[in-house]
C-alpha cells in the first residue's frame, strides 16, 4: 500500500485519470481506491496536493460509501478493509523533501521538480537531419521530473524524468513517442554536479547505466546556468548542451549534436511552463 501512495503522490498529475484494477474488480481494487480517496481527495472528490491529515473511521466510511454508490457491485472483503484501515492509521514515511543547498546549481536542480499537483513542462523538440535514415521533424509533448529518494549512494536528490508526445516528420508521418531517464544531483564543494542515466526498459524506473555527466560552464546570462556533456554510443557521439534559465526565463534548452557513420543530426528541445 505504501507503494500505491508513493505512485499517486509522485506520479499522477492533477486532473489525470487513474484506473485501479484487480482480478475481480470488486475486492482489492476497491481497497486501493478507498485508500487513494482517503489520502488524496477533498470532500468534492477533487485531487489534493498533500495527503489528508484528519482521517477517522467515519471519514473512511464516507469515502467507501462513494465507491459503493458509484459501483454497487463492489464487495471488499473484511480482510481488505482491515488492511486499508491499518495502513491509513499507521505512521507513513514522509515524501522526499527535495531540499537543496542554496547554490546556483542546487537551486536550478530544485526548480526542475514537477510534483504531482503541478502542471508538467511543455516541450517542443526540433530534429534536423542530413541523412534519410534519421527523419527530420518536430516533437511536441510534455515532461515531468518526479522527485524520489536517491537510488544510489553519493547523491542528494534524484528525479525520474518522463516525457511523452507526438513526433511529426517533415514527410508527414506521425508517431507517438516517450522516453525516461533518471536525473541525479550530487552536492559538496568540488564535486557538485548533475548526471543523467538511462532507465531499464522492463520497468521504466530502475536505473540502468550512465548517459552523461554534465560539466557546468557557469553563467548563461540573465541568471541562468550552462552545461555540456558527451555520450559515446558505439561509433556515434552525442555532444549535449544544456541552458537552464537565462535571460530572466525559467525554461530550459537542451541541444544534442549527433555525429557518426549512420547519424548526423541536431536535436534542440525547448522546455517551458
Amino acid at each position: 500500500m505504501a507503494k500505491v501512495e508513493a505512485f499517486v503522490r509522485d506520479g499522477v498529475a492533477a486532473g489525470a485519470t487513474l484506473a485501479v484494477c484487480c482480478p475481480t474488480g470488486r475486492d482489492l481494487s476497491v481497497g486501493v481506491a478507498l485508500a487513494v480517496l482517503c489520502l488524496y481527495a477533498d470532500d468534492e472528490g477533487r485531487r489534493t496536493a498533500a495527503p489528508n491529515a484528519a482521517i477517522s473511521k467515519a471519514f473512511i466510511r464516507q469515502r467507501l460509501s462513494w465507491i459503493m454508490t458509484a459501483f454497487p457491485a463492489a464487495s471488499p472483503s473484511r480482510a481488505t478493509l482491515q488492511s486499508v484501515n491499518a495502513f491509513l492509521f499507521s505512521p507513513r514515511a514522509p515524501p522526499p523533501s527535495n531540499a537543496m543547498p542554496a547554490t546556483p546549481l542546487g537551486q536550478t536542480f530544485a526548480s526542475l521538480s514537477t510534483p504531482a499537483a503541478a502542471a508538467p513542462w511543455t516541450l517542443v523538440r526540433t530534429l534536423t537531419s542530413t541523412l534519410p535514415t534519421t527523419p527530420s521533424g518536430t516533437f511536441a509533448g510534455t515532461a515531468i521530473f518526479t522527485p524520489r529518494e536517491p537510488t544510489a549512494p553519493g547523491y542528494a536528490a534524484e528525479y525520474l524524468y518522463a516525457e511523452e508526445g507526438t513526433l511529426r516528420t517533415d514527410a508527414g508521418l506521425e508517431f507517438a513517442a516517450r522516453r525516461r531517464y533518471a536525473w541525479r544531483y550530487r552536492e559538496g564543494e568540488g564535486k557538485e554536479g548533475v548526471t543523467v542515466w538511462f532507465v531499464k526498459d522492463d520497468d521504466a524506473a530502475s536505473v540502468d547505466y550512465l548517459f552523461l555527466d554534465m560539466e557546468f560552464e557557469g553563467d548563461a546570462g540573465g541568471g541562468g546556468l550552462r552545461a555540456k556533456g558527451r555520450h559515446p554510443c558505439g561509433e556515434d557521439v552525442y555532444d549535449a548542451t544544456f541552458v537552464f534559465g537565462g535571460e530572466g526565463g525559467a525554461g530550459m534548452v537542451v541541444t544534442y549534436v549527433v555525429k557518426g557513420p549512420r547519424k548526423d543530426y541536431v536535436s534542440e528541445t525547448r522546455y517551458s511552463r
Side-chain angles (χ1 to χ4, degrees), residues 10 73 81 89-90 92 108 122 147 151 156 182 190 192 195 233 245 254 258 272:
D10 300 332
L81 294 178
F89 289 128
S90 65
R92 295 187 300 280
T108 295
T122 297
T151 56
E192 188 182 31
T195 55
C233 181
V254 180
V258 184
S272 61

Side-chain angles (χ1 to χ4, degrees), residues 30-185:
V30 175
V32 171
L34 176 60
V36 171
L37 287 174
C38 287
L39 288 171
Y40 289 102
D42 63 16
D43 289 339
E44 301 298 324
R46 294 183 296 251
R47 166 66 188 272
T48 60
N52 293 313
I55 296 178
S56 64
K57 289 185 177 180
F59 182 90
I60 297 172
R61 285 196 297 269
Q62 179 197 46
R63 296 306 200 256
L64 179 59
S65 71
W66 292 357
I67 298 175
M68 301 305 296
T69 300
F71 183 49
S75 182
S77 67
R78 181 179 179 85
T80 294
L81 294 178
Q82 287 177 335
S83 295
V84 172
N85 280 13
F87 172 71
L88 293 175
F89 289 128
S90 65
R92 295 187 300 280
S97 64
N98 209 36
M100 300 289 178
T103 62
L105 178 53
Q107 294 304 299
T108 295
F109 193 81
S111 72
L112 301 176
S113 179
T114 318
W121 289 89
T122 297
L123 68 94
V124 177
R125 177 174 299 125
T126 303
L127 299 168
T128 306
S129 175
T130 63
L131 301 178
T133 51
T134 303
S136 297
T138 302
F139 174 88
T142 58
I144 58 174
F145 289 82
T146 302
R148 64 182 188 179
E149 292 295 337
T151 56
Y155 291 95
E158 181 172 314
Y159 296 128
L160 178 61
Y161 170 89
E163 69 174 48
E164 59 182 21
T166 302
L167 171 63
R168 295 176 175 85
T169 70
D170 289 352
L173 301 177
E174 291 191 5
F175 305 92
R178 62 182 61 190
R179 64 174 58 172
R180 293 188 177 222
Y181 296 103
W183 285 49
R184 289 169 166 170
Y185 168 78

